[in-house]
Amino acid sequence: MKAVQVVSDHHVKKFLDFPAALFADDKNYIRPLDKDIEAVFDPKKNKFFRFGECERFLFYNEKNETVGKFAVFINKKYRQSQPTGGIGFFDCINDQNAADFMFDFAKKRLQEKGMEAMDGPINFGERDQFWGLLIDGFSEPLYAMNYNAPYYQELFENYGFKIYFNQLCFGRKIHAPVSENFVRMHERISKNPAISARRMKVNALEKFAADFTEVYNRAWASHGEGKQLTKVHTLKLFTTLKPVINEHISWFIYENEKPIAMWMNIPDLNQWFKFLDGKFGLWQKLKFLWVKKFKTNKKMVGLVFGIVPEWQRKGIDGYMIWEGTKHFRKTTQFEDYEMQWIGDFNPKMIRIAENLETEVTRKLATYRYLFDQTKEFESHKIL
């Protein structure tokens, strides 16, 4: 086998096309948008190039056939108990020898840069995209979520990778019965004239960006590995999402005019993007608008749920859930609800997901491999 660094347009095309060929017969596979993948490897678009370096490779067998690909990177912002690099965008045929060759290559590459471990498959960027290996719940992936064949788990674990943390997705049917406890919470909180619920409106993005930032920072940023958001950052995100925002499914709760809770949801973009075969040129943009208009999207995705500390455990969650659910049941055609993944190291957020009367819909795993196998392996600390 041999490794070839991705440097030419020809290599880039092979890197992007390989998974689609590998999973051609898998009905659940949805090809990610090429532009989303390429943005990770563009120093002009990915700020993490300021803190590290990233290379990607194709792997060929003796017949010069493509058998695998991945990216290997170091990120100075990725602070761990030992210097830890990453591998991501991993794909490989069902061949342990090929996978071992690839992992050995990554190990050597990272050791040369002073790393003592590698995590994978992870992203050269934030955890909200292309992070983790699917190990349970092999259904259509959510937008920007990794997808792989079941045999990938054996490739990683046979080499010696161990699960650093599990990533759990929770979901439920939109029209499944809602807990009577939530209904009672809603009835009780509704009697408080200071409390009101409002759905997010596109023509007031700046206001909702400010309200989201305030609730998020108070509810999550001071907790564990959370980080402070700025209104500018949030508004930029909301502006990016503007073409796909559904005004019926994201909700904010106020005490008088002060935001105290929010529940952010969007349609699952993959239910539209799966018709585009990874491309997003002019023709695909026109097709996307057509699909968005005429193809019913029956799945919504939960992005963030948060309540400011002084209103936690006082029934605001039940009030918000039932207020929102009553409305979008009547005004939308969504049938399924699934949340983005939550790490098993975050029991507080898991309890919130479980309180929404959800069940685990899929599980991904972040794997770690210690280069010195005599060292004791430690899982992610509980927050």
Side-chain angles (χ1 to χ4, degrees):
M1 285 182 59
K2 64 178 180 179
V4 175
Q5 188 169 355
V6 175
V7 291
S8 68
D9 290 343
H10 174 70
H11 293 147
V12 169
K13 186 176 187 305
K14 277 185 170 291
F15 191 91
L16 295 171
D17 290 346
F18 179 67
L22 196 61
F23 302 126
D25 297 325
D26 188 333
K27 62 181 178 61
N28 290 318
Y29 175 74
I30 297 176
R31 178 169 176 162
L33 293 183
D34 292 349
K35 73 177 187 67
D36 291 341
I37 304 294
E38 285 306 291
V40 175
F41 304 108
D42 186 344
K44 295 179 181 178
K45 297 180 179 179
N46 187 351
K47 66 181 181 180
F48 284 87
F49 277 96
R50 300 200 299 266
F51 318 121
E53 54 188 281
C54 177
E55 303 170 307
R56 49 180 167 163
F57 297 89
L58 293 163
F59 294 86
Y60 297 88
N61 63 15
E62 63 278 1
K63 297 179 182 179
N64 209 36
E65 299 167 330
T66 307
V67 296
K69 55 93 170 167
F70 64 42
V72 58
F73 43 86
I74 57 172
N75 174 5
K76 295 177 183 177
K77 292 279 188 178
Y78 193 59
R79 298 185 180 94
Q80 303 295 315
S81 56
Q82 65 279 310
T84 302
I87 58 172
F89 301 95
F90 172 93
D91 286 293
C92 183
I93 63 173
N94 190 3
D95 185 307
Q96 190 67 52
N97 290 331
D100 289 350
F101 180 90
M102 294 169 65
F103 292 140
D104 284 342
F105 182 89
K107 175 184 175 181
K108 183 174 184 295
R109 205 80 175 177
L110 291 170
Q111 282 180 316
E112 291 171 350
K113 300 179 185 298
M115 298 296 104
E116 298 176 8
M118 59 182 172
D119 285 357
I122 63 173
N123 186 16
F124 186 52
E126 303 287 359
R127 288 180 174 180
D128 61 339
Q129 294 192 351
F130 306 117
W131 198 285
L133 189 85
L134 183 64
I135 60 175
D136 190 28
F138 291 86
S139 58
E140 291 184 340
L142 304 180
Y143 171 68
M145 178 175 284
N146 279 340
Y147 181 84
N148 52 262
Y151 69 79
Y152 278 39
Q153 183 175 1
E154 292 185 1
L155 297 182
F156 273 78
E157 294 182 358
N158 287 345
Y159 184 77
F161 280 90
K162 296 180 181 178
I163 293 178
Y164 182 46
F165 61 85
N166 284 306
Q167 307 163 218
L168 307 176
C169 292
F170 293 83
R172 60 171 279 131
K173 292 291 185 182
I174 296 292
H175 292 274
V178 171
S179 168
E180 283 297 320
N181 191 36
F182 287 165
V183 176
R184 288 193 296 269
M185 289 178 187
H186 180 273
E187 183 179 2
R188 174 169 56 83
I189 297 295
S190 295
K191 295 175 182 177
N192 185 340
I195 304 298
S196 62
R198 301 173 199 170
R199 56 191 175 93
M200 185 175 176
K201 296 291 188 70
V202 171
N203 62 5
L205 282 189
E206 190 166 349
K207 168 184 168 47
F208 287 111
D211 295 345
F212 177 94
T213 303
E214 180 174 348
V215 174
Y216 180 88
N217 285 341
R218 296 184 64 203
W220 290 116
S222 61
H223 177 74
E225 296 184 347
K227 64 179 182 179
Q228 290 279 330
L229 294 179
T230 65
K231 177 186 170 183
V232 172
H233 179 273
T234 305
L235 183 57
K236 183 179 179 180
L237 172 63
F238 281 14
T239 302
T240 301
L241 292 174
K242 185 176 179 179
V244 297
I245 288 176
N246 184 307
E247 295 186 322
H248 299 285
I249 62 177
S250 288
W251 288 79
F252 288 75
I253 309 300
Y254 298 85
E255 181 186 20
N256 296 317
E257 290 301 312
K258 187 174 179 62
I260 61 172
M262 50 79 175
W263 184 21
M264 283 289 300
N265 305 295
I266 62 170
D268 176 23
L269 305 185
N270 262 4
Q271 296 305 304
W272 294 317
F273 289 159
K274 65 183 178 181
F275 297 102
L276 305 184
D277 193 31
K279 306 298 186 289
F280 206 60
L282 177 59
W283 165 246
Q284 287 80 20
K285 290 177 181 177
L286 293 173
K287 185 175 182 180
F288 169 75
L289 293 175
W290 185 91
V291 168
K292 186 170 176 287
K293 184 175 178 63
F294 293 105
K295 291 280 187 179
T296 301
N297 190 335
K298 297 184 179 182
K299 189 167 199 171
M300 57 186 272
V301 178
L303 299 182
V304 185
F305 186 101
I307 302 171
V308 299
E310 62 268 30
W311 275 99
Q312 292 174 10
R313 295 179 294 278
K314 293 185 178 179
I316 286 295
D317 52 346
Y319 172 77
M320 180 163 55
I321 290 165
W322 187 225
E323 189 74 12
T325 300
K326 284 192 304 177
H327 179 84
F328 58 64
R329 277 180 173 177
K330 296 177 182 177
T331 57
T332 75
Q333 295 179 291
F334 294 113
E335 296 179 0
D336 294 291
Y337 174 72
E338 187 169 3
M339 302 172 70
Q340 287 284 2
W341 67 264
I342 303 168
D344 63 0
F345 53 81
N346 193 343
K348 181 179 179 181
M349 190 61 197
I350 287 176
R351 284 195 296 272
I352 289 176
E354 291 172 341
N355 286 342
L356 295 174
E357 295 193 309
T358 58
E359 59 183 23
V360 175
T361 50
R362 73 182 85 217
K363 182 190 293 185
L364 298 95
T366 296
Y367 281 94
R368 173 164 292 179
Y369 180 83
L370 300 179
F371 297 158
D372 182 352
Q373 289 285 287
T374 65
K375 286 189 175 181
E376 183 179 359
F377 181 87
E378 295 182 357
S379 299
H380 195 297
K381 67 179 181 180
I382 302 297
L383 300 182

